Amino acid sequence: MLYRETGQFKTNYRDDQAVFPILQDKIGIILLLAFLFLVVPFTFNDFWLGGIMIPTLIFACAAVGLNLLTGYAGQLSLGTGGFMGVGAYGCYKLATIFPDVNILIHILLSGFIAAGVGIIFGIPSLRIKGFYLAVATLASQFFLEWAFGRVAWLYNYNASGAIEVPTRTLFSLPITGPTATSVTRYLIVLTIVVVLTWVASNIVRGRFGRAWMAIRDMDIAAELIGIRLLPTKLTAFAISSYYCGVAGAMMVFLWLGAAEVESFDINHSFLILFMVIIGGLGSLVGCFLGAIFIWNLPIFLRSVFGDVMHASTVEHVTFMLVGAMIIMFLIVEPAGLARLWQIAKQKLRVWPFPY
């Protein structure tokens, strides 16, 4: 009875195309943001903030980037982990070359470095698509992994081959490094992810988003109606890589504190892809639902069955459950968890009447 549209009228096209056309949705997102910003930092402990909330938000940001490319533009990519690494190493070099600039600016600027690399590897998308494009992006993943491990300039010739995060402050408050608290890092990550998600929601509803979806549905027809394929596809690669690059920079500077080549290997590319598939292609909400499910499933299994199951067994069970979920969603509900959430909202809007 609380989720009703009665009395809510749309008198112009702009109101009809609003991100949250129903008043209850606006109230719900405001309450959710209030909970995340005002309740979580002061009630959750360091394990919840550093082990669950921060990585979930970071991987959700990377999933948003991949979903913009795959879910909206229809360009399959298996190089997400590599583009995250470009953002991380780019942020590390920017922090080294310009130590006086605030690290948050470096994190946001590192996305542009990843966007430039994404444009380069997105050029083949004009001639190839589908499985062959996936193979091309997979090649970019392996090339970037090789560069992270062999180009010593990227990690400042460190003997360990790792990048280590220096301590940086904002208004005399440490935000990176070992002295930065989980609360500070969580609030920064949450703010960046919320802003980038809001930007992504406007992009997909604007000119770029409509052009991407036209190419996704039928690229030949899109070209016939005047959409230029190469600039549009490269724009999708650039914006997607930007989000992945920022996520990679946040992963190192606001979560891990240090990283090696293995932090951006092919496993992370598949991890982000699984989040998008289970969460729902072409849905920003699905990116968060998929990240919550994929990242927290092994944590849940360890907390419930940790006393009766070995850690390696829990890991194998996690792989089996994720694989089963992917197969189930691809067969039963290809739109993923986002579609289930949408169906639940539709049923709630007419409850208690039959749907």
Side-chain angles (χ1 to χ4, degrees), residues 303-352:
S303 62
V304 176
F305 304 105
D307 297 333
V308 296
M309 296 175 59
H310 194 269
S312 59
T313 305
V314 173
E315 184 177 3
H316 292 312
V317 172
T318 302
F319 288 151
M320 290 188 293
L321 288 177
V322 171
M325 290 287 292
I326 292 175
I327 295 174
M328 184 193 71
F329 275 109
L330 290 177
I331 296 175
V332 179
E333 186 52 78
L337 294 172
R339 177 57 182 168
L340 298 181
W341 171 248
Q342 184 181 12
I343 293 175
K345 289 175 58 178
Q346 291 175 350
K347 290 182 177 295
L348 187 61
R349 289 163 73 176
V350 297
W351 185 86

mmCIF file of all heavy atoms in Angstrom, residues 303-352:
data_model
loop_
_atom_site.group_PDB
_atom_site.id
_atom_site.type_symbol
_atom_site.label_atom_id
_atom_site.label_comp_id
_atom_site.label_asym_id
_atom_site.label_seq_id
_atom_site.Cartn_x
_atom_site.Cartn_y
_atom_site.Cartn_z
ATOM 1 N N SER A 303 31.834 -17.540 7.083
ATOM 2 C CA SER A 303 31.270 -17.245 8.405
ATOM 3 C C SER A 303 30.283 -18.309 8.860
ATOM 4 O O SER A 303 30.158 -18.565 10.054
ATOM 5 C CB SER A 303 30.579 -15.877 8.375
ATOM 6 O OG SER A 303 29.496 -15.873 7.452
ATOM 7 N N VAL A 304 29.592 -18.956 7.918
ATOM 8 C CA VAL A 304 28.589 -19.954 8.280
ATOM 9 C C VAL A 304 29.202 -21.344 8.387
ATOM 10 O O VAL A 304 28.925 -22.093 9.342
ATOM 11 C CB VAL A 304 27.434 -19.951 7.257
ATOM 12 C CG1 VAL A 304 26.435 -21.066 7.565
ATOM 13 C CG2 VAL A 304 26.730 -18.595 7.261
ATOM 14 N N PHE A 305 30.042 -21.711 7.408
ATOM 15 C CA PHE A 305 30.578 -23.077 7.361
ATOM 16 C C PHE A 305 32.076 -23.125 7.650
ATOM 17 O O PHE A 305 32.722 -24.142 7.383
ATOM 18 C CB PHE A 305 30.324 -23.692 5.977
ATOM 19 C CG PHE A 305 28.871 -23.697 5.580
ATOM 20 C CD1 PHE A 305 28.402 -22.789 4.634
ATOM 21 C CD2 PHE A 305 27.978 -24.589 6.153
ATOM 22 C CE1 PHE A 305 27.075 -22.789 4.255
ATOM 23 C CE2 PHE A 305 26.653 -24.589 5.772
ATOM 24 C CZ PHE A 305 26.185 -23.684 4.833
ATOM 25 N N GLY A 306 32.642 -22.046 8.181
ATOM 26 C CA GLY A 306 34.067 -22.026 8.433
ATOM 27 C C GLY A 306 34.535 -23.058 9.444
ATOM 28 O O GLY A 306 35.667 -23.539 9.371
ATOM 29 N N ASP A 307 33.655 -23.419 10.360
ATOM 30 C CA ASP A 307 34.046 -24.389 11.387
ATOM 31 C C ASP A 307 33.986 -25.825 10.895
ATOM 32 O O ASP A 307 34.640 -26.699 11.474
ATOM 33 C CB ASP A 307 33.138 -24.237 12.613
ATOM 34 C CG ASP A 307 33.292 -22.877 13.270
ATOM 35 O OD1 ASP A 307 34.379 -22.285 13.132
ATOM 36 O OD2 ASP A 307 32.328 -22.400 13.907
ATOM 37 N N VAL A 308 33.238 -26.093 9.862
ATOM 38 C CA VAL A 308 33.070 -27.466 9.391
ATOM 39 C C VAL A 308 33.685 -27.685 8.013
ATOM 40 O O VAL A 308 33.773 -28.825 7.558
ATOM 41 C CB VAL A 308 31.573 -27.845 9.345
ATOM 42 C CG1 VAL A 308 30.969 -27.820 10.739
ATOM 43 C CG2 VAL A 308 30.803 -26.912 8.416
ATOM 44 N N MET A 309 34.104 -26.624 7.358
ATOM 45 C CA MET A 309 34.678 -26.729 6.025
ATOM 46 C C MET A 309 36.033 -26.031 5.987
ATOM 47 O O MET A 309 36.208 -24.962 6.591
ATOM 48 C CB MET A 309 33.747 -26.107 4.962
ATOM 49 C CG MET A 309 32.402 -26.814 4.824
ATOM 50 S SD MET A 309 31.288 -25.958 3.680
ATOM 51 C CE MET A 309 32.246 -25.989 2.173
ATOM 52 N N HIS A 310 36.964 -26.630 5.276
ATOM 53 C CA HIS A 310 38.278 -26.027 5.102
ATOM 54 C C HIS A 310 38.160 -24.811 4.185
ATOM 55 O O HIS A 310 37.246 -24.709 3.364
ATOM 56 C CB HIS A 310 39.254 -27.050 4.521
ATOM 57 C CG HIS A 310 40.677 -26.631 4.608
ATOM 58 N ND1 HIS A 310 41.309 -25.936 3.596
ATOM 59 C CD2 HIS A 310 41.602 -26.791 5.592
ATOM 60 C CE1 HIS A 310 42.559 -25.690 3.938
ATOM 61 N NE2 HIS A 310 42.770 -26.208 5.145
ATOM 62 N N ALA A 311 39.112 -23.880 4.329
ATOM 63 C CA ALA A 311 39.066 -22.652 3.532
ATOM 64 C C ALA A 311 39.111 -22.950 2.034
ATOM 65 O O ALA A 311 38.405 -22.305 1.246
ATOM 66 C CB ALA A 311 40.232 -21.738 3.916
ATOM 67 N N SER A 312 39.923 -23.933 1.639
ATOM 68 C CA SER A 312 39.988 -24.289 0.221
ATOM 69 C C SER A 312 38.672 -24.887 -0.258
ATOM 70 O O SER A 312 38.244 -24.650 -1.400
ATOM 71 C CB SER A 312 41.128 -25.279 -0.027
ATOM 72 O OG SER A 312 40.944 -26.458 0.729
ATOM 73 N N THR A 313 38.004 -25.648 0.620
ATOM 74 C CA THR A 313 36.693 -26.210 0.258
ATOM 75 C C THR A 313 35.666 -25.106 0.064
ATOM 76 O O THR A 313 34.851 -25.156 -0.872
ATOM 77 C CB THR A 313 36.220 -27.186 1.342
ATOM 78 O OG1 THR A 313 37.216 -28.187 1.550
ATOM 79 C CG2 THR A 313 34.911 -27.849 0.937
ATOM 80 N N VAL A 314 35.692 -24.121 0.943
ATOM 81 C CA VAL A 314 34.780 -22.983 0.801
ATOM 82 C C VAL A 314 35.019 -22.272 -0.525
ATOM 83 O O VAL A 314 34.076 -21.864 -1.211
ATOM 84 C CB VAL A 314 34.963 -22.006 1.981
ATOM 85 C CG1 VAL A 314 34.144 -20.735 1.754
ATOM 86 C CG2 VAL A 314 34.547 -22.666 3.286
ATOM 87 N N GLU A 315 36.293 -22.143 -0.910
ATOM 88 C CA GLU A 315 36.611 -21.494 -2.181
ATOM 89 C C GLU A 315 36.059 -22.288 -3.358
ATOM 90 O O GLU A 315 35.481 -21.715 -4.292
ATOM 91 C CB GLU A 315 38.119 -21.335 -2.312
ATOM 92 C CG GLU A 315 38.555 -20.581 -3.564
ATOM 93 C CD GLU A 315 40.050 -20.392 -3.626
ATOM 94 O OE1 GLU A 315 40.754 -20.902 -2.726
ATOM 95 O OE2 GLU A 315 40.526 -19.744 -4.585
ATOM 96 N N HIS A 316 36.200 -23.621 -3.312
ATOM 97 C CA HIS A 316 35.674 -24.447 -4.397
ATOM 98 C C HIS A 316 34.153 -24.382 -4.453
ATOM 99 O O HIS A 316 33.554 -24.323 -5.538
ATOM 100 C CB HIS A 316 36.131 -25.889 -4.219
ATOM 101 C CG HIS A 316 37.602 -26.085 -4.413
ATOM 102 N ND1 HIS A 316 38.287 -25.566 -5.493
ATOM 103 C CD2 HIS A 316 38.527 -26.746 -3.661
ATOM 104 C CE1 HIS A 316 39.563 -25.889 -5.413
ATOM 105 N NE2 HIS A 316 39.740 -26.609 -4.301
ATOM 106 N N VAL A 317 33.511 -24.390 -3.282
ATOM 107 C CA VAL A 317 32.051 -24.278 -3.238
ATOM 108 C C VAL A 317 31.602 -22.942 -3.814
ATOM 109 O O VAL A 317 30.589 -22.860 -4.526
ATOM 110 C CB VAL A 317 31.548 -24.456 -1.797
ATOM 111 C CG1 VAL A 317 30.052 -24.148 -1.697
ATOM 112 C CG2 VAL A 317 31.818 -25.875 -1.306
ATOM 113 N N THR A 318 32.363 -21.893 -3.523
ATOM 114 C CA THR A 318 32.035 -20.576 -4.069
ATOM 115 C C THR A 318 32.084 -20.590 -5.590
ATOM 116 O O THR A 318 31.178 -20.073 -6.259
ATOM 117 C CB THR A 318 33.013 -19.517 -3.526
ATOM 118 O OG1 THR A 318 32.957 -19.490 -2.105
ATOM 119 C CG2 THR A 318 32.666 -18.143 -4.071
ATOM 120 N N PHE A 319 33.134 -21.200 -6.151
ATOM 121 C CA PHE A 319 33.241 -21.290 -7.611
ATOM 122 C C PHE A 319 32.056 -22.054 -8.199
ATOM 123 O O PHE A 319 31.493 -21.657 -9.231
ATOM 124 C CB PHE A 319 34.550 -21.980 -7.995
ATOM 125 C CG PHE A 319 35.761 -21.136 -7.759
ATOM 126 C CD1 PHE A 319 36.990 -21.712 -7.474
ATOM 127 C CD2 PHE A 319 35.682 -19.751 -7.816
ATOM 128 C CE1 PHE A 319 38.112 -20.932 -7.244
ATOM 129 C CE2 PHE A 319 36.793 -18.960 -7.589
ATOM 130 C CZ PHE A 319 38.010 -19.548 -7.306
ATOM 131 N N MET A 320 31.667 -23.153 -7.557
ATOM 132 C CA MET A 320 30.555 -23.941 -8.069
ATOM 133 C C MET A 320 29.244 -23.164 -8.003
ATOM 134 O O MET A 320 28.435 -23.209 -8.947
ATOM 135 C CB MET A 320 30.449 -25.248 -7.294
ATOM 136 C CG MET A 320 31.584 -26.224 -7.562
ATOM 137 S SD MET A 320 31.327 -27.847 -6.809
ATOM 138 C CE MET A 320 31.444 -27.423 -5.074
ATOM 139 N N LEU A 321 29.029 -22.447 -6.899
ATOM 140 C CA LEU A 321 27.790 -21.678 -6.768
ATOM 141 C C LEU A 321 27.733 -20.543 -7.776
ATOM 142 O O LEU A 321 26.684 -20.296 -8.389
ATOM 143 C CB LEU A 321 27.675 -21.130 -5.341
ATOM 144 C CG LEU A 321 27.366 -22.154 -4.242
ATOM 145 C CD1 LEU A 321 27.345 -21.473 -2.877
ATOM 146 C CD2 LEU A 321 26.032 -22.843 -4.502
ATOM 147 N N VAL A 322 28.850 -19.848 -7.955
ATOM 148 C CA VAL A 322 28.873 -18.757 -8.927
ATOM 149 C C VAL A 322 28.639 -19.292 -10.335
ATOM 150 O O VAL A 322 27.876 -18.714 -11.126
ATOM 151 C CB VAL A 322 30.210 -17.992 -8.843
ATOM 152 C CG1 VAL A 322 30.333 -16.995 -9.995
ATOM 153 C CG2 VAL A 322 30.323 -17.262 -7.515
ATOM 154 N N GLY A 323 29.288 -20.405 -10.678
ATOM 155 C CA GLY A 323 29.063 -21.001 -12.001
ATOM 156 C C GLY A 323 27.627 -21.420 -12.200
ATOM 157 O O GLY A 323 27.045 -21.192 -13.267
ATOM 158 N N ALA A 324 27.033 -22.030 -11.165
ATOM 159 C CA ALA A 324 25.636 -22.441 -11.264
ATOM 160 C C ALA A 324 24.715 -21.229 -11.412
ATOM 161 O O ALA A 324 23.739 -21.261 -12.177
ATOM 162 C CB ALA A 324 25.242 -23.268 -10.042
ATOM 163 N N MET A 325 25.019 -20.164 -10.679
ATOM 164 C CA MET A 325 24.199 -18.954 -10.772
ATOM 165 C C MET A 325 24.292 -18.337 -12.166
ATOM 166 O O MET A 325 23.283 -17.875 -12.718
ATOM 167 C CB MET A 325 24.651 -17.944 -9.719
ATOM 168 C CG MET A 325 24.321 -18.337 -8.290
ATOM 169 S SD MET A 325 22.555 -18.164 -7.933
ATOM 170 C CE MET A 325 22.364 -16.393 -7.984
ATOM 171 N N ILE A 326 25.490 -18.320 -12.749
ATOM 172 C CA ILE A 326 25.642 -17.762 -14.097
ATOM 173 C C ILE A 326 24.829 -18.558 -15.102
ATOM 174 O O ILE A 326 24.098 -17.995 -15.937
ATOM 175 C CB ILE A 326 27.133 -17.734 -14.483
ATOM 176 C CG1 ILE A 326 27.887 -16.727 -13.618
ATOM 177 C CG2 ILE A 326 27.301 -17.388 -15.959
ATOM 178 C CD1 ILE A 326 29.377 -16.726 -13.852
ATOM 179 N N ILE A 327 24.918 -19.883 -15.029
ATOM 180 C CA ILE A 327 24.150 -20.723 -15.952
ATOM 181 C C ILE A 327 22.659 -20.519 -15.752
ATOM 182 O O ILE A 327 21.891 -20.403 -16.725
ATOM 183 C CB ILE A 327 24.530 -22.202 -15.753
ATOM 184 C CG1 ILE A 327 26.001 -22.431 -16.139
ATOM 185 C CG2 ILE A 327 23.634 -23.115 -16.588
ATOM 186 C CD1 ILE A 327 26.503 -23.827 -15.833
ATOM 187 N N MET A 328 22.229 -20.456 -14.489
ATOM 188 C CA MET A 328 20.811 -20.282 -14.204
ATOM 189 C C MET A 328 20.290 -18.957 -14.747
ATOM 190 O O MET A 328 19.232 -18.893 -15.384
ATOM 191 C CB MET A 328 20.566 -20.356 -12.699
ATOM 192 C CG MET A 328 19.095 -20.277 -12.312
ATOM 193 S SD MET A 328 18.826 -20.003 -10.549
ATOM 194 C CE MET A 328 19.377 -18.302 -10.384
ATOM 195 N N PHE A 329 21.048 -17.870 -14.506
ATOM 196 C CA PHE A 329 20.583 -16.573 -14.960
ATOM 197 C C PHE A 329 20.601 -16.475 -16.484
ATOM 198 O O PHE A 329 19.714 -15.856 -17.079
ATOM 199 C CB PHE A 329 21.442 -15.460 -14.353
ATOM 200 C CG PHE A 329 20.994 -15.040 -12.979
ATOM 201 C CD1 PHE A 329 21.746 -15.345 -11.862
ATOM 202 C CD2 PHE A 329 19.817 -14.343 -12.809
ATOM 203 C CE1 PHE A 329 21.340 -14.966 -10.599
ATOM 204 C CE2 PHE A 329 19.389 -13.957 -11.549
ATOM 205 C CZ PHE A 329 20.155 -14.275 -10.438
ATOM 206 N N LEU A 330 21.609 -17.062 -17.134
ATOM 207 C CA LEU A 330 21.652 -17.019 -18.589
ATOM 208 C C LEU A 330 20.485 -17.767 -19.208
ATOM 209 O O LEU A 330 20.016 -17.418 -20.300
ATOM 210 C CB LEU A 330 22.976 -17.611 -19.086
ATOM 211 C CG LEU A 330 24.231 -16.783 -18.812
ATOM 212 C CD1 LEU A 330 25.465 -17.517 -19.290
ATOM 213 C CD2 LEU A 330 24.144 -15.413 -19.466
ATOM 214 N N ILE A 331 19.984 -18.798 -18.533
ATOM 215 C CA ILE A 331 18.870 -19.592 -19.059
ATOM 216 C C ILE A 331 17.527 -19.024 -18.614
ATOM 217 O O ILE A 331 16.617 -18.820 -19.434
ATOM 218 C CB ILE A 331 19.001 -21.066 -18.617
ATOM 219 C CG1 ILE A 331 20.261 -21.689 -19.219
ATOM 220 C CG2 ILE A 331 17.772 -21.866 -19.038
ATOM 221 C CD1 ILE A 331 20.525 -23.102 -18.743
ATOM 222 N N VAL A 332 17.380 -18.781 -17.313
ATOM 223 C CA VAL A 332 16.081 -18.407 -16.754
ATOM 224 C C VAL A 332 15.839 -16.909 -16.843
ATOM 225 O O VAL A 332 14.765 -16.467 -17.271
ATOM 226 C CB VAL A 332 15.984 -18.885 -15.288
ATOM 227 C CG1 VAL A 332 14.642 -18.482 -14.677
ATOM 228 C CG2 VAL A 332 16.168 -20.393 -15.205
ATOM 229 N N GLU A 333 16.794 -16.110 -16.433
ATOM 230 C CA GLU A 333 16.608 -14.659 -16.400
ATOM 231 C C GLU A 333 17.887 -13.968 -16.856
ATOM 232 O O GLU A 333 18.741 -13.614 -16.040
ATOM 233 C CB GLU A 333 16.241 -14.212 -14.973
ATOM 234 C CG GLU A 333 15.881 -12.741 -14.855
ATOM 235 C CD GLU A 333 14.822 -12.330 -15.854
ATOM 236 O OE1 GLU A 333 13.641 -12.620 -15.617
ATOM 237 O OE2 GLU A 333 15.192 -11.733 -16.886
ATOM 238 N N PRO A 334 18.054 -13.784 -18.174
ATOM 239 C CA PRO A 334 19.292 -13.174 -18.686
ATOM 240 C C PRO A 334 19.548 -11.763 -18.173
ATOM 241 O O PRO A 334 20.683 -11.305 -18.187
ATOM 242 C CB PRO A 334 19.082 -13.183 -20.202
ATOM 243 C CG PRO A 334 18.043 -14.229 -20.452
ATOM 244 C CD PRO A 334 17.147 -14.196 -19.254
ATOM 245 N N ALA A 335 18.499 -11.079 -17.740
ATOM 246 C CA ALA A 335 18.674 -9.715 -17.243
ATOM 247 C C ALA A 335 19.196 -9.669 -15.815
ATOM 248 O O ALA A 335 19.433 -8.579 -15.284
ATOM 249 C CB ALA A 335 17.359 -8.937 -17.337
ATOM 250 N N GLY A 336 19.372 -10.813 -15.163
ATOM 251 C CA GLY A 336 20.042 -10.889 -13.878
ATOM 252 C C GLY A 336 19.214 -10.423 -12.694
ATOM 253 O O GLY A 336 17.981 -10.331 -12.734
ATOM 254 N N LEU A 337 19.930 -10.133 -11.603
ATOM 255 C CA LEU A 337 19.285 -9.721 -10.364
ATOM 256 C C LEU A 337 18.531 -8.411 -10.523
ATOM 257 O O LEU A 337 17.534 -8.181 -9.829
ATOM 258 C CB LEU A 337 20.337 -9.575 -9.254
ATOM 259 C CG LEU A 337 21.033 -10.861 -8.799
ATOM 260 C CD1 LEU A 337 22.171 -10.532 -7.841
ATOM 261 C CD2 LEU A 337 20.038 -11.805 -8.140
ATOM 262 N N ALA A 338 18.989 -7.544 -11.424
ATOM 263 C CA ALA A 338 18.305 -6.270 -11.630
ATOM 264 C C ALA A 338 16.883 -6.492 -12.131
ATOM 265 O O ALA A 338 15.957 -5.769 -11.740
ATOM 266 C CB ALA A 338 19.084 -5.405 -12.616
ATOM 267 N N ARG A 339 16.696 -7.491 -12.983
ATOM 268 C CA ARG A 339 15.351 -7.793 -13.485
ATOM 269 C C ARG A 339 14.470 -8.339 -12.374
ATOM 270 O O ARG A 339 13.286 -7.995 -12.285
ATOM 271 C CB ARG A 339 15.439 -8.786 -14.642
ATOM 272 C CG ARG A 339 14.100 -9.222 -15.195
ATOM 273 C CD ARG A 339 13.264 -8.039 -15.652
ATOM 274 N NE ARG A 339 11.957 -8.467 -16.130
ATOM 275 C CZ ARG A 339 10.957 -7.637 -16.377
ATOM 276 N NH1 ARG A 339 11.111 -6.327 -16.192
ATOM 277 N NH2 ARG A 339 9.801 -8.099 -16.812
ATOM 278 N N LEU A 340 15.026 -9.176 -11.511
ATOM 279 C CA LEU A 340 14.251 -9.685 -10.379
ATOM 280 C C LEU A 340 13.832 -8.542 -9.446
ATOM 281 O O LEU A 340 12.717 -8.538 -8.921
ATOM 282 C CB LEU A 340 15.074 -10.726 -9.615
ATOM 283 C CG LEU A 340 15.471 -11.985 -10.392
ATOM 284 C CD1 LEU A 340 16.251 -12.931 -9.504
ATOM 285 C CD2 LEU A 340 14.225 -12.682 -10.949
ATOM 286 N N TRP A 341 14.730 -7.607 -9.239
ATOM 287 C CA TRP A 341 14.397 -6.438 -8.432
ATOM 288 C C TRP A 341 13.302 -5.606 -9.106
ATOM 289 O O TRP A 341 12.386 -5.115 -8.433
ATOM 290 C CB TRP A 341 15.648 -5.591 -8.221
ATOM 291 C CG TRP A 341 15.424 -4.253 -7.601
ATOM 292 C CD1 TRP A 341 15.575 -3.045 -8.192
ATOM 293 C CD2 TRP A 341 14.997 -3.987 -6.258
ATOM 294 N NE1 TRP A 341 15.276 -2.027 -7.312
ATOM 295 C CE2 TRP A 341 14.926 -2.579 -6.128
ATOM 296 C CE3 TRP A 341 14.682 -4.793 -5.167
ATOM 297 C CZ2 TRP A 341 14.546 -1.971 -4.930
ATOM 298 C CZ3 TRP A 341 14.309 -4.182 -3.970
ATOM 299 C CH2 TRP A 341 14.240 -2.790 -3.864
ATOM 300 N N GLN A 342 13.366 -5.464 -10.411
ATOM 301 C CA GLN A 342 12.338 -4.718 -11.135
ATOM 302 C C GLN A 342 10.989 -5.414 -11.057
ATOM 303 O O GLN A 342 9.947 -4.762 -10.869
ATOM 304 C CB GLN A 342 12.769 -4.542 -12.587
ATOM 305 C CG GLN A 342 11.823 -3.693 -13.419
ATOM 306 C CD GLN A 342 12.286 -3.563 -14.857
ATOM 307 O OE1 GLN A 342 13.177 -4.269 -15.304
ATOM 308 N NE2 GLN A 342 11.676 -2.644 -15.595
ATOM 309 N N ILE A 343 10.978 -6.744 -11.179
ATOM 310 C CA ILE A 343 9.724 -7.496 -11.069
ATOM 311 C C ILE A 343 9.129 -7.351 -9.682
ATOM 312 O O ILE A 343 7.911 -7.182 -9.519
ATOM 313 C CB ILE A 343 9.972 -8.976 -11.417
ATOM 314 C CG1 ILE A 343 10.331 -9.125 -12.896
ATOM 315 C CG2 ILE A 343 8.744 -9.829 -11.077
ATOM 316 C CD1 ILE A 343 10.716 -10.540 -13.283
ATOM 317 N N ALA A 344 9.972 -7.409 -8.658
ATOM 318 C CA ALA A 344 9.484 -7.242 -7.289
ATOM 319 C C ALA A 344 8.849 -5.869 -7.093
ATOM 320 O O ALA A 344 7.797 -5.739 -6.444
ATOM 321 C CB ALA A 344 10.633 -7.449 -6.310
ATOM 322 N N LYS A 345 9.438 -4.837 -7.673
ATOM 323 C CA LYS A 345 8.864 -3.493 -7.569
ATOM 324 C C LYS A 345 7.541 -3.404 -8.316
ATOM 325 O O LYS A 345 6.581 -2.768 -7.832
ATOM 326 C CB LYS A 345 9.845 -2.465 -8.124
ATOM 327 C CG LYS A 345 11.073 -2.234 -7.251
ATOM 328 C CD LYS A 345 12.062 -1.296 -7.914
ATOM 329 C CE LYS A 345 11.453 0.029 -8.227
ATOM 330 N NZ LYS A 345 12.428 0.977 -8.826
ATOM 331 N N GLN A 346 7.448 -4.035 -9.483
ATOM 332 C CA GLN A 346 6.201 -4.010 -10.232
ATOM 333 C C GLN A 346 5.078 -4.711 -9.472
ATOM 334 O O GLN A 346 3.935 -4.246 -9.461
ATOM 335 C CB GLN A 346 6.409 -4.663 -11.596
ATOM 336 C CG GLN A 346 7.290 -3.850 -12.533
ATOM 337 C CD GLN A 346 7.587 -4.574 -13.832
ATOM 338 O OE1 GLN A 346 7.301 -5.766 -13.977
ATOM 339 N NE2 GLN A 346 8.186 -3.880 -14.779
ATOM 340 N N LYS A 347 5.399 -5.826 -8.847
ATOM 341 C CA LYS A 347 4.391 -6.530 -8.062
ATOM 342 C C LYS A 347 3.973 -5.715 -6.841
ATOM 343 O O LYS A 347 2.810 -5.721 -6.433
ATOM 344 C CB LYS A 347 4.917 -7.903 -7.634
ATOM 345 C CG LYS A 347 5.065 -8.906 -8.773
ATOM 346 C CD LYS A 347 5.530 -10.250 -8.263
ATOM 347 C CE LYS A 347 5.607 -11.267 -9.405
ATOM 348 N NZ LYS A 347 4.273 -11.558 -9.979
ATOM 349 N N LEU A 348 4.937 -5.022 -6.240
ATOM 350 C CA LEU A 348 4.626 -4.214 -5.066
ATOM 351 C C LEU A 348 3.741 -3.030 -5.422
ATOM 352 O O LEU A 348 2.922 -2.590 -4.606
ATOM 353 C CB LEU A 348 5.931 -3.730 -4.427
ATOM 354 C CG LEU A 348 5.823 -3.006 -3.078
ATOM 355 C CD1 LEU A 348 5.213 -3.926 -2.030
ATOM 356 C CD2 LEU A 348 7.193 -2.527 -2.619
ATOM 357 N N ARG A 349 3.858 -2.532 -6.639
ATOM 358 C CA ARG A 349 3.060 -1.382 -7.052
ATOM 359 C C ARG A 349 1.584 -1.715 -7.181
ATOM 360 O O ARG A 349 0.732 -0.829 -7.083
ATOM 361 C CB ARG A 349 3.593 -0.840 -8.385
ATOM 362 C CG ARG A 349 4.941 -0.140 -8.242
ATOM 363 C CD ARG A 349 5.656 0.023 -9.576
ATOM 364 N NE ARG A 349 5.038 1.048 -10.402
ATOM 365 C CZ ARG A 349 5.536 1.434 -11.580
ATOM 366 N NH1 ARG A 349 6.650 0.878 -12.024
ATOM 367 N NH2 ARG A 349 4.932 2.366 -12.284
ATOM 368 N N VAL A 350 1.243 -2.969 -7.435
ATOM 369 C CA VAL A 350 -0.175 -3.356 -7.596
ATOM 370 C C VAL A 350 -0.663 -4.224 -6.439
ATOM 371 O O VAL A 350 -1.823 -4.647 -6.435
ATOM 372 C CB VAL A 350 -0.384 -4.120 -8.915
ATOM 373 C CG1 VAL A 350 -0.041 -3.214 -10.093
ATOM 374 C CG2 VAL A 350 0.462 -5.379 -8.972
ATOM 375 N N TRP A 351 0.200 -4.544 -5.491
ATOM 376 C CA TRP A 351 -0.206 -5.352 -4.348
ATOM 377 C C TRP A 351 -1.309 -4.631 -3.564
ATOM 378 O O TRP A 351 -1.253 -3.404 -3.428
ATOM 379 C CB TRP A 351 1.003 -5.593 -3.443
ATOM 380 C CG TRP A 351 0.712 -6.511 -2.296
ATOM 381 C CD1 TRP A 351 0.756 -7.864 -2.296
ATOM 382 C CD2 TRP A 351 0.350 -6.116 -0.980
ATOM 383 N NE1 TRP A 351 0.432 -8.337 -1.046
ATOM 384 C CE2 TRP A 351 0.167 -7.275 -0.217
ATOM 385 C CE3 TRP A 351 0.128 -4.874 -0.367
ATOM 386 C CZ2 TRP A 351 -0.205 -7.256 1.113
ATOM 387 C CZ3 TRP A 351 -0.248 -4.837 0.962
ATOM 388 C CH2 TRP A 351 -0.409 -6.021 1.687
ATOM 389 N N PRO A 352 -2.348 -5.349 -3.056
ATOM 390 C CA PRO A 352 -2.550 -6.807 -2.999
ATOM 391 C C PRO A 352 -3.348 -7.359 -4.172
ATOM 392 O O PRO A 352 -3.826 -8.478 -4.087
ATOM 393 C CB PRO A 352 -3.338 -6.960 -1.709
ATOM 394 C CG PRO A 352 -4.201 -5.752 -1.664
ATOM 395 C CD PRO A 352 -3.369 -4.635 -2.280
#
